[in-house]
Amino acid sequence: YGQIFLALIKACGELKDMQAGQEIHELIASNGLLKGDLFLGSSLITMYAECGCISKGEEVFDSYSPVRDTVIWNALITAYVNCGFDANALACFEKMQVENTSPNDVTFLSILKACGLLGALEKGQEIYSLIETLGLLHADLIIGNAVMSMFIKCDYLLEAIYIFEKLPMHDVVSWTAVIGGYIGYGYNQEALEYFERMKLEGVSLNSVTF
C-alpha cells in the first residue's frame, strides 16, 4: 500500500487539493502506516507545502521525533524554501546539525538557495566551507553552480568568479550564472568575454543565456 499512498499524496500536492490530502493522511495514520515510514512522512510534508499549509507539514515532521533521517529533514527544509520561509529553513538546518543528522546534496541545494534569497553571506560562506570539506564542490557540478549563484545573490561576485574558475567543468548553468553576475554589476565587457569563452568551449546556449 505504501507506493499507492505515495502516488496519491503526490497527486494531491500537484493538484493543491488539501482536503483530499488530509483525508489520505488520516487514512494512513488510522491504519498505523505512518509511524516509522519516513518516506510517507516526507511526502506529506511536501504535499502540505504545495497546498500552502506549511504548519501541517511541521506537525507531520514533529510527529517523527526523535527518529528523523536526512530525507525528512530535507523535506521540511525544502518546504520552507519553496514557501518563502527562508529564515525557517536556516533555523531547521541548524537543528538538523544539532541532532547530528548528516546533510546531503539536496540539503545543500535548498540551504544555498535560502542563503541567496536572504542575502545571508556569512551563513552562505559557512555552508560553502562545509561543502568544500566534504569534497562536494568538485564532485557535483550542480552544487558548484548553486554555490556560485548564492554568492552572486549575496553581492559577492569575486568569490563567485573564483569558484567558477575552480570548477573542473562548466555547463550552460555555470556560464549563464557568471555572465548574469557580471551584467548585474555593470561589467558588460567581461560578460561578453565570458560569452566568447563559453562558445569556444562548445557549450550550447539556452534562452536564459541569450
Side-chain angles (χ1 to χ4, degrees):
Y1 292 107
Q3 293 299 320
I4 296 173
F5 282 125
L6 285 172
L8 290 171
I9 293 167
K10 182 179 180 182
C12 290
E14 290 177 353
L15 292 169
K16 303 190 187 310
D17 190 338
M18 187 168 146
Q19 182 177 345
Q22 282 185 294
E23 290 174 1
I24 293 168
H25 182 182
E26 291 168 4
L27 180 61
I28 293 169
S30 64
N31 282 280
L33 298 174
L34 196 57
K35 187 176 180 181
D37 193 325
L38 294 166
F39 282 104
L40 278 176
S42 299
S43 297
L44 285 170
I45 292 169
T46 301
M47 182 272 292
Y48 281 124
E50 290 174 336
C51 291
C53 190
I54 193 67
S55 60
K56 282 286 187 181
E58 291 172 328
E59 289 176 14
V60 174
F61 178 82
D62 290 338
S63 71
Y64 280 91
S65 181
V67 183
R68 294 191 284 234
D69 67 355
T70 304
V71 173
I72 201 160
W73 280 100
N74 285 348
L76 185 59
I77 290 170
T78 303
Y80 278 138
V81 175
N82 289 341
C83 290
F85 299 120
D86 302 298
N88 296 65
L90 294 186
C92 189
F93 179 68
E94 294 291 338
K95 292 178 183 176
M96 179 182 183
Q97 289 181 299
V98 169
E99 292 196 12
N100 293 316
T101 304
S102 299
N104 61 14
D105 54 345
V106 176
T107 320
F108 289 126
L109 288 173
S110 293
I111 289 300
L112 287 167
K113 183 178 180 180
C115 289
L117 291 169
L118 288 169
L121 177 59
E122 187 175 336
K123 188 64 181 178
Q125 288 175 311
E126 181 185 317
I127 302 300
Y128 165 51
S129 296
L130 179 55
I131 287 170
E132 276 216 303
T133 300
L134 295 172
L136 293 175
L137 189 67
H138 298 286
D140 191 330
L141 181 57
I142 296 174
I143 292 289
N145 289 340
V147 171
M148 273 200 310
S149 178
M150 179 274 295
F151 278 124
I152 289 169
K153 288 177 181 175
C154 290
D155 297 326
Y156 200 176
L157 180 61
L158 285 177
E159 187 68 12
I161 301 302
Y162 170 72
I163 290 166
F164 176 85
E165 298 298 350
K166 280 179 64 177
L167 293 176
M169 63 181 69
H170 307 111
D171 61 6
V172 65
V173 176
S174 317
W175 284 104
T176 302
V178 74
I179 289 169
Y182 271 128
I183 293 169
Y185 282 84
Y187 299 139
N188 300 310
Q189 185 59 47
E190 287 81 355
L192 290 174
E193 288 170 3
Y194 270 74
F195 178 59
E196 292 301 322
R197 282 181 57 188
M198 178 183 180
K199 290 193 293 181
L200 286 173
E201 282 199 13
V203 178
S204 298
L205 314 176
N206 63 16
S207 59
V208 181
T209 318
F210 283 121

